[in-house]
Amino acid sequence: MRGTRKRKQPHPQSSAKSQKTAVDRGGAASQVPFPDHPRPTPEECASVRDDLLSLHGFPQEFIKYRDQRLKTKSLLKSSTNFEPLIDEEGVDERESVLDGLVKTILSQNTTEHNSEKAFASLKNAFPTWKEVLEAETKCIEDAIRCGGLAPTKSSCIKNLLSFLIERKGNLCMEYLRELSVEEVKAELSRLKGIGPKTVSCVLMFNLQHDDFPVDTHVFQIAKTMGWVPPIADVKTTYLHLNQRIPSELKFDLNCLLYTHGKICRRCSNRKVGMENKEVEVGNCPLLAYSRLS
């Protein structure tokens, strides 16, 4: 007698705790790690931006990038034929994508002062990227040693330049301006030593995309304010905040949170602030938002 054939059981539905996929505010599909976590709200993001702007003003170090974003968006709205930002002498005002990426690599695990000094030293020793590519690795290490992790960073820079020659035939990354956010992420993820935060910084600062990098300062503040659950790590915080924060607020809010995290002892969990510029605990405007969590 033939046995009764059992029906295949359908796959169980994924649990509420699993990550969902949604379309973010920029139109790209991405994971939503904490779909039931309601913060930050758009109103809260705008309020934090305004409070930090009143406290710090807009950080001087980011003004040139902010101006470039405003000019780019203005040109895109006013013309279907977008022209690069050219000054009166016919020079593109924008920092090159390659310069921006190398600066971000040099900024890893060091202070802003040291990373700027390392980039200036590198360009002084090797004025062109072709000279950097042809230089001995030891010479590059010596040029950027003031920025820390010289062997690791020099290797990363050499790999980047070699990749460009092999793939594109030149030492230029302006082609990234024509790619979507997901295409840029896929392209840069091929490179050893270039992680998600570095990619996100290039997207926001050099390519004028509405992305929201998460460094140690932003991560710590997000957790302190309850913008992410206690179980969140840097990766899931990046995914969550990029879903929750309105695109038009991402740039200003990110720059302000980064600046505040550097000088507020409470928000950075450091005992000593920066060069007597620290914000006293009682004066931190983010205290009120932390009580909401």
Side-chain angles (χ1 to χ4, degrees), residues 65-76 208:
Y65 298 106
R66 191 190 200 202
D67 289 345
Q68 288 170 6
R69 289 176 66 85
L70 293 174
K71 289 179 182 178
T72 298
K73 291 181 182 296
S74 176
L75 287 171
L76 286 172
Q208 286 80 49

Side-chain angles (χ1 to χ4, degrees), residues 67-69 71-72 75 81-96 174 177 208:
D67 289 345
Q68 288 170 6
R69 289 176 66 85
K71 289 179 182 178
T72 298
L75 287 171
N81 297 318
F82 175 68
E83 295 292 336
L85 298 175
I86 305 298
D87 63 15
E88 295 178 354
E89 297 180 355
V91 179
D92 196 333
E93 296 177 359
R94 299 171 298 184
E95 177 179 71
S96 77
E174 298 307 295
R177 297 188 189 278
Q208 286 80 49

Side-chain angles (χ1 to χ4, degrees), residues 12 41 55 58 76 94-95 98 101 113 127 140 159 161 163 165 183 186 203 206 235 242 254 287:
T41 64
L55 180 66
F58 194 79
L76 286 172
R94 299 171 298 184
E95 177 179 71
L98 181 54
L101 178 52
H113 172 76
I140 299 175
N159 287 338
L161 298 178
F163 170 84
I165 288 294
E183 289 171 334
L203 283 167
N206 299 104
K235 179 180 179 180
N242 270 283
N254 192 275
L287 276 171

Side-chain angles (χ1 to χ4, degrees), residues 14-60:
S14 58
S15 66
K17 292 183 179 180
S18 63
Q19 293 184 350
K20 296 182 180 180
T21 301
V23 176
D24 66 17
R25 298 179 188 272
S30 60
Q31 291 179 315
V32 184
F34 310 117
D36 299 321
H37 194 79
R39 298 180 66 204
T41 64
E43 296 76 17
E44 189 177 9
C45 292
S47 181
V48 169
R49 187 271 314 269
D50 292 344
D51 286 346
L52 292 179
L53 199 56
S54 296
L55 180 66
H56 301 297
F58 194 79
Q60 289 292 317

Side-chain angles (χ1 to χ4, degrees), residues 214-244:
V214 175
D215 74 328
T216 54
H217 301 297
V218 173
F219 176 58
Q220 183 61 49
I221 292 174
K223 295 200 76 172
T224 300
M225 290 199 298
W227 280 12
V228 290
I231 61 170
D233 57 16
V234 172
K235 179 180 179 180
T236 53
T237 296
Y238 169 78
L239 293 171
H240 180 74
L241 294 184
N242 270 283
Q243 287 289 332
R244 299 292 308 180

